[in-house]
Amino acid sequence: MVGLPARGKSYICKKLSRYLNWCGFNTKVFNVGNRRRVMKKRESITPTAPDSLLRQIPVEDASTPIGLPGETTHDAAFFDASNQEAKELREQLAMDTLDESIAWLRKEGSKVAIHDATNSTIIRRKALLQRIEMEEGISAFFIESICPEGPVLEKNIKMKLSGPDYVNMDPQVAMEDFKQRIRNYEKVYQTISPEEDQRLSYIKVVNVGEKVIAHRIRGYIPSQCVFYLMQIHIKERVVWLSRHGESLFNIQNRVGGDPPLSPRGLKYTEALVDFIKHIAITPPDSPGSPDLDDIPKDERKFQVWTSCLQRAMEVGDRFDPKETSVTNIKFLNEIYSGQFEGMTYEDIKRWHPDEWQQRQENKLLYRYPGAGGESYLDVIERLRPVIIELERMQSGVLVVTHQVVMRTLLAYFLGVPLQEMPTLSVPLHTLYCLKPKPYGADLYRYVLDESTGRLEFAGEGLE
């Protein structure tokens, strides 16, 4: 990463890491600031700690905020380029963090390491590249985050003041110290350009996705990063997720197929549509409604996405086309069970015990036999365009889909490890409200109260 403080570098790191991990590329972020804060904590215990101690500090140790009431771990003077001792220490911390990331990449299964730091000078970036060039089979490119003066920068600065560097500090004192830190960096900051090194590969992201520039980007993963970064933004919106209502196959414990809804499923469908109409669809002229000028024309109606299976499409059929835009998307169909479509789980276990055992041992990798049979990883692959579109959207959307797809979408937004994804609990007749945030997503649940026929708030997070 490259960029001044409060330019959204860590936000981009976390989003990119979450996306790449979800896509199956084992990714980890290595934050130099965390190492610095841990180093300060160790210094307070052992002031004369040797330099070698710094190299032994794992980044995870900085997960807990550090600092005494009214103190910052390092004030603005630590980031002054004229402070030679601090400058040398900052350079050492950056290189030690790079060494840690390289060591991690050498482990089996590791794919992408993200070096999260300002890396704001040509000298620093050259030193990083020289170190990486010593390693066979590892390549690198830079992502520079640029935020000119304006609302995005002001919002980023306010977020920084709630971080571990300023815990328990007077807000005004913290604000002045952080702004001085930025001024210190601005004195020496050098943006990336081809003149720096003609061989340099980099992506520039302006205002967290408003503009993206790619230079000498080669390979599958770097290209995927460019495409993903072109979609992200920090505007608030809500994503509603729900499985279809109970179907006849749910009652019979059958796999897949295209059955109709049961009477209970129809009751949930009616409650879901009524809830969304009254809670999620905001008339354009009502208080609190978004400014239509800020929303793309194709999103000014509330969006409803369903799979192409009848038990999901019945939801879309009940919305008023004047208020909503309903789209049936095949990518949202349930995992295809191949030759097991329409069978009961009991029959699969009885007549195909080897297949049943393979699925029990590894649901993530298991692919149903027969033409078109899918695995969870296949579902992830076909859902990539859906995730990209959900990231791009700036207005609300309701997604009505199926159990495996629900697990996959929730795993992306909540950062659930892939191995845990197949066991996520996503019961029928439950509506999830996702509110994407800079460092993840808030999740709220609403469940059907069958005595009243209404959806009621049931708590935060997954069950």
Side-chain angles (χ1 to χ4, degrees):
M1 294 301 300
V2 174
L4 290 165
R7 263 55 179 189
K9 296 186 300 300
S10 292
Y11 170 75
I12 291 173
C13 285
K14 289 180 182 296
K15 293 220 30 129
L16 201 53
S17 174
R18 179 157 51 87
Y19 178 67
L20 292 174
N21 274 309
W22 180 81
C23 289
F25 303 108
N26 190 11
T27 303
K28 186 174 180 180
V29 177
F30 295 84
N31 185 281
V32 174
N34 285 352
R35 180 177 291 274
R36 168 178 57 79
R37 284 182 282 271
V38 173
M39 179 272 297
K40 181 65 177 179
K41 182 180 180 182
R42 298 286 178 86
E43 276 186 353
S44 67
I45 300 172
T46 312
T48 58
D51 291 344
S52 60
L53 176 61
L54 299 180
R55 296 181 175 84
Q56 301 170 12
I57 301 173
V59 171
E60 290 82 358
D61 283 358
S63 59
T64 303
I66 301 163
L68 298 173
E71 290 187 353
T72 177
T73 52
H74 288 101
D75 62 19
F78 181 80
F79 303 93
D80 190 335
S82 63
N83 184 340
Q84 190 60 34
E85 183 179 353
K87 180 182 177 182
E88 292 176 0
L89 180 54
R90 285 187 282 114
E91 297 299 322
Q92 179 187 338
L93 288 167
M95 298 307 295
D96 289 347
T97 303
L98 179 62
D99 286 341
E100 183 184 7
S101 67
I102 290 172
W104 178 80
L105 282 172
R106 290 305 180 196
K107 296 178 181 179
E108 184 177 357
S110 300
K111 294 294 184 182
V112 181
I114 303 177
H115 189 267
D116 184 9
T118 56
N119 297 322
S120 53
T121 65
I122 293 175
I123 292 175
R124 163 78 71 82
R125 295 192 288 270
K126 185 176 180 180
L128 294 175
L129 286 177
Q130 287 176 341
R131 174 66 184 88
I132 292 168
E133 287 172 356
M134 295 168 60
E135 300 293 325
E136 185 177 353
I138 297 178
S139 59
F141 65 95
F142 291 101
I143 300 176
E144 181 177 15
S145 182
I146 301 171
C147 289
E149 299 291 333
V152 175
L153 179 58
E154 291 176 8
K155 187 174 183 179
N156 288 348
I157 290 175
K158 289 179 181 178
M159 286 175 51
K160 276 288 187 180
L161 298 185
S162 62
D165 273 343
Y166 295 104
V167 64
N168 299 321
M169 214 175 163
D170 179 87
Q172 290 185 338
V173 176
M175 175 68 79
E176 181 52 40
D177 182 86
F178 188 68
K179 287 186 174 181
Q180 182 58 49
R181 182 192 299 192
I182 294 175
R183 290 191 288 268
N184 286 339
Y185 270 106
E186 287 174 336
K187 294 174 186 176
V188 297
Y189 185 76
Q190 296 169 298
T191 188
I192 293 181
S193 70
E195 289 72 27
E196 179 177 332
D197 186 333
Q198 290 294 332
R199 302 170 301 165
L200 208 60
S201 298
Y202 62 81
I203 303 167
K204 289 196 177 195
V205 183
V206 181
N207 273 343
V208 198
E210 284 187 7
K211 180 179 180 180
V212 177
I213 301 168
H215 179 76
R216 288 182 58 84
I217 294 298
R218 304 283 192 273
Y220 182 77
I221 292 179
S223 299
Q224 286 293 305
C225 291
V226 174
F227 186 57
Y228 179 74
L229 292 172
M230 290 172 64
Q231 319 305 323
I232 66 172
H233 59 84
I234 57 174
K235 293 184 178 178
E236 294 184 358
R237 83 273 196 201
V238 178
V239 178
W240 301 88
L241 299 172
S242 177
R243 291 175 65 184
H244 55 81
E246 179 188 74
S247 73
L248 296 183
F249 272 23
N250 290 134
I251 296 173
Q252 298 164 6
N253 205 27
R254 294 184 181 275
V255 177
D258 191 15
L261 294 174
S262 70
R264 286 185 69 236
L266 288 169
K267 188 174 183 180
Y268 173 72
T269 299
E270 293 171 0
L272 173 61
V273 172
D274 183 69
F275 182 93
I276 292 295
K277 282 182 177 180
H278 289 90
I279 301 298
I281 300 177
T282 307
D285 299 326
S286 66
S289 62
D291 186 345
L292 292 183
D293 292 336
D294 294 335
I295 299 177
K297 288 183 179 180
D298 62 342
E299 295 180 25
R300 291 182 181 179
K301 287 184 178 180
F302 185 82
Q303 304 287 306
V304 177
W305 298 354
T306 79
S307 77
C308 291
L309 299 175
Q310 63 172 322
R311 55 193 186 274
M313 289 195 294
E314 286 195 42
V315 177
D317 293 342
R318 285 170 164 73
F319 280 103
D320 184 346
K322 295 179 181 179
E323 297 179 332
T324 58
S325 175
V326 178
T327 307
N328 307 127
I329 303 173
K330 192 173 182 180
F331 291 152
L332 293 173
N333 283 9
E334 180 60 297
I335 188 172
Y336 188 67
S337 306
Q339 70 184 55
F340 293 163
E341 282 281 304
M343 294 180 65
T344 66
Y345 285 108
E346 290 76 12
D347 284 344
I348 296 172
K349 186 175 182 179
R350 180 185 301 114
W351 301 113
H352 303 276
D354 291 342
E355 293 288 340
W356 176 268
Q357 186 59 35
Q358 289 178 40
R359 183 173 180 273
Q360 295 301 111
E361 289 174 357
N362 195 331
K363 290 179 71 175
L364 179 67
L365 299 180
Y366 174 78
R367 178 178 285 118
Y368 281 102
E374 291 184 303
S375 68
Y376 269 87
L377 294 184
D378 295 327
V379 174
I380 289 174
E381 188 65 29
R382 66 168 153 96
L383 283 178
R384 285 194 196 185
V386 174
I387 289 298
I388 291 296
E389 188 64 11
L390 287 172
E391 287 290 359
R392 183 193 68 80
M393 291 185 67
Q394 299 178 18
S395 61
V397 60
L398 167 65
V399 180
V400 182
T401 183
H402 309 268
Q403 179 169 250
V404 170
V405 176
M406 277 283 290
R407 286 170 171 165
T408 308
L409 293 176
L410 285 169
Y412 168 75
F413 280 106
L414 301 179
V416 176
L418 291 187
Q419 290 294 340
E420 298 177 17
M421 180 179 69
T423 59
L424 289 180
S425 174
V426 285
L428 286 168
H429 301 171
T430 302
L431 173 65
Y432 295 91
C433 173
L434 267 168
K435 295 184 178 181
K437 299 294 181 182
Y439 295 106
D442 292 339
L443 181 68
Y444 307 92
R445 298 190 320 278
Y446 297 83
V447 299
L448 176 66
D449 183 336
E450 300 203 33
S451 65
T452 64
R454 298 174 64 87
L455 288 172
E456 302 290 348
F457 180 69
E460 299 182 14
L462 295 168
E463 286 187 347

